[in-house]
Each structure stands twice: as C-alpha cells, then as structure tokens.
Amino acid sequence: MGAGDNRLMDMVDEKARLAGSNKMELLLFSLGGNEVFGINVFKVREVCETIAITKTPNVPRGVEGIISLRGAILPVIDLATAINMQIDAPRTKLLITEFSSHTQAFLVADVDRIVRVDWEKVKSPQSMPTSNMTFMTALTELADGKLVSILDVEQILASVIGEDKVPAEILPVDADIKSNVFFADDSMLARKKITEVLDRMGLPHQHAINGAEAWDKLKGIAARCDAEKIPLDLSLGMILVDAEMPEMDGYVLTRHIKSDSRFAGIPVVMHSSLSSVANKKLGQQVGVDAYVAKFHPTELSTMIAAQLTHVKARKGANEA
C-alpha cells in the first residue's frame, strides 16, 4: 500500500470515528453581514483567496463567471446573490466544493474556522425561524450562543443551474416486486426528486425529514407489524437514507436499523451527495447494502428496482 493509500485509509478511519459519534464538522464562513453560515467540511475540497474570474455571457443569476484552477474550469457562484442577500461587502475567499457529482467555487466574504458539532444539536430551520429559510437545511447553536445557518447547497446549486429532470424512461416496476419504500432526507429538493422517481416507478412510499424522525417512524412500523402478527417485509420493502441529516445522521440511523433483528433482510441504501470513496467506505462500515450518488434519477431507480428484485429472490429461495 502506497503513501497515498495510507493517507486515504487514515482519512476514512477519522471520518468513521466522526460518523459513528453522530458528529460532523462545519466550516464556518461569512457572506459579509452578521449572519454565520456553515457547510459540511466533507463537501469542501479546499479554500483559497479569490483569483481572476472570467466573466461569461448569458449565465444564470448568481454565477459570477468561471475560473481555471489547476487545469480545471469551474463555475463561480456568488453565494450571497444565490440566496437573495443584498450585501455589498467584498468577496475575498473561494470555497471549492464537491458534491452531487459537481465541482464548483462558492464566492464568500470570509472564512472563519472549523467546528465540530453534535447532530443532535442540529435542528431543522422550521424549529428555529430565520431569514433565507428556503436555502437552509438546518441550524445549530455554537457554545458562544451564535446561531449557524447550515446551507442546503444542493438546493442552491439547483436554483442556479437548474434541476435535473426525471427521465420519461423511468417506468413502473413489475407488480411482483412492488413494495413500500421508506426514505429519509432533510433536503426539500431531495425529497421532491426522490418522490418523483418513486411515483414514476409506481412505488408506495413514506418519508422522514431527519434521522431521528426516521428511526421513530421505522420503529412504529415494526411495532404495528408485531401487533398485527404480519412480517415486516410485507409493509416495508427497502429503506433509503441520506448521509447528513439533523438530529441523527444516516450512518447512525443505519447502525440502528442493522442492529434491530426486526429489519433483517430489508435493504438500506445510502443516497448521498457525499460521493467520495471515503464516504462510500463509511457507508459499508455501518452496513448499508448499496450506495447511490445524488441526483441521478435513472441510477436511483435502477438501484431501487435491483434491491427490490434481490429481496424477492431471497424470499423465494427461503420459501423453496
């Protein structure tokens, strides 16, 4: 194993310890006003001083232009403009971000520091009202009492460059594998896209907006099946989880599911914008059955159909 492989494994081990503890690290930054913003460090590739931005014609609102960074051409998105904040402060830093199979630079006023926070202390914006709620996925409070708005960067990216359409080629699944799908995701955009895919596939579904709510609902489904003396897999075909969610992340949620014998045989698929090798290995460590990156509707539908087909085949073999 080479030095690069060793570094990768060290990073995987560190992230595994972080995920297993239901914590995350936020990079704090400012857009020029008094509000403090945060982004999961897993989504940040690097931070650098602003470099020459080449203006390009006919770009969406919020796109300042493009930069060339080590041979790669990246779009530059002014975050303040993208979330409808009118701020005249100079933008001096670039956050080079990578998520949902896209790499882009976010233009910000200043970068503060990295803080480690408990997911349990990260709340949905509905419970702590603030401005720009449309582009917030969560809020948390620091030890000094400051509120940090955690941006829904997937929603921001979609609002700037547009959403991927659900292809017409996604068709209803065969009746013999049709089953209920439960999914958990804190992003409004993600829930919308997942719902579109499941509806196109003709699959009934239920959802939760964070890991803690998901675990409560899943335990409720299992309890009802116990009370009615029916197999859980008749009410639940598979579970789709996001990696980063308020109150309980997808890694801890998966561990809960996999450690409860009632859910044996029900596949858990991680559907995340954190698509690096390290995050896929993390999912494997906590027991996810498969991993699919956001937002690729065709890949998601293919994965769901494959998992439901596998469940049917396994049940058929057990009954034979």
Side-chain angles (χ1 to χ4, degrees):
M1 184 180 287
D5 294 326
N6 284 327
R7 283 195 296 272
L8 173 62
M9 292 312 298
D10 288 344
M11 181 173 65
V12 170
D13 288 342
E14 171 60 24
K15 289 189 175 187
R17 286 191 292 272
L18 191 61
S21 63
N22 204 36
K23 296 178 185 290
M24 74 161 168
E25 289 182 337
L26 284 175
L27 176 66
L28 304 183
F29 61 91
S30 164
L31 297 180
N34 295 324
E35 199 165 354
V36 180
F37 295 91
I39 182 173
N40 192 324
V41 293
F42 286 6
K43 293 178 177 175
V44 181
R45 205 168 71 185
E46 64 178 288
V47 178
C48 61
E49 298 291 329
T50 303
I51 59 178
I53 299 173
T54 302
K55 300 291 184 180
T56 51
N58 305 317
V59 294
R61 181 175 178 274
V63 176
E64 288 294 295
I66 57 175
I67 58 170
S68 176
L69 188 67
R70 284 185 284 284
I73 304 299
L74 305 179
V76 178
I77 298 170
D78 184 331
L79 268 185
T81 301
I83 66 172
N84 303 318
M85 289 184 70
Q86 304 299 318
I87 296 177
D88 295 328
R91 321 289 204 254
T92 62
K93 297 289 193 301
L94 289 174
L95 307 183
I96 311 303
T97 59
E98 189 173 7
F99 57 89
S100 297
S101 305
H102 293 277
T103 304
Q104 53 282 310
F106 286 143
L107 192 58
V108 302
D110 198 14
V111 174
D112 185 3
R113 65 192 190 279
I114 292 173
V115 296
R116 185 168 291 191
V117 299
D118 293 320
W119 273 117
E120 294 172 354
K121 296 180 180 176
V122 178
K123 305 299 180 182
S124 64
Q126 290 85 355
S127 64
M128 302 169 72
T130 184
S131 57
N132 310 306
M133 192 181 295
T134 302
F135 298 107
M136 302 303 151
T137 190
L139 287 150
T140 192
E141 187 174 351
L142 301 181
D144 61 6
K146 281 186 180 177
L147 283 182
V148 178
S149 300
I150 302 172
L151 292 176
D152 186 345
V153 286
E154 290 88 355
Q155 176 74 57
I156 292 168
L157 192 62
S159 72
V160 172
I161 66 173
E163 298 179 22
D164 292 333
K165 300 296 183 184
V166 176
E169 293 77 24
I170 295 178
L171 301 173
V173 298
D174 294 338
D176 61 343
I177 67 166
K178 188 170 288 189
S179 188
N180 188 53
V181 175
F182 186 97
F183 67 90
D185 204 299
D186 63 316
S187 168
M188 188 182 300
L189 174 67
R191 294 195 299 272
K192 174 187 172 188
K193 305 310 289 185
I194 294 167
T195 297
E196 288 178 10
V197 168
L198 293 173
D199 286 347
R200 191 71 64 84
M201 297 177 74
L203 292 170
H205 51 82
Q206 296 170 265
H207 75 270
I209 64 171
N210 61 56
E213 181 186 82
W215 185 228
D216 284 343
K217 287 187 173 183
L218 288 168
K219 287 187 294 183
I221 294 170
R224 284 195 299 274
C225 289
D226 283 345
E228 295 171 11
K229 294 184 168 31
I230 60 173
L232 180 58
D233 58 12
L234 290 181
S235 296
L236 189 60
M238 67 166 287
I239 302 166
L240 194 67
V241 302
D242 187 19
E244 22 166 25
M245 293 184 287
E247 300 188 37
M248 180 189 294
D249 67 25
Y251 303 108
V252 174
L253 173 60
T254 300
R255 279 192 170 139
H256 283 321
I257 295 167
K258 290 300 183 179
S259 64
D260 190 325
S261 60
R262 295 176 298 179
F263 295 92
I266 297 174
V268 177
V269 174
M270 185 161 279
H271 180 231
S272 174
S273 60
L274 304 175
S275 54
S276 69
V277 171
N279 285 290
K280 289 179 182 178
K281 286 184 178 294
L282 276 183
Q284 292 169 0
Q285 287 182 13
V286 297
V288 299
D289 296 278
Y291 190 107
V292 61
K294 290 178 180 176
F295 292 109
H296 302 288
T298 302
E299 291 178 18
L300 178 60
S301 64
T302 300
M303 178 65 74
I304 292 170
Q307 291 297 323
L308 294 177
T309 300
H310 182 65
V311 168
K312 178 181 180 293
R314 187 172 59 243
K315 287 171 65 176
N318 291 337
E319 292 167 0

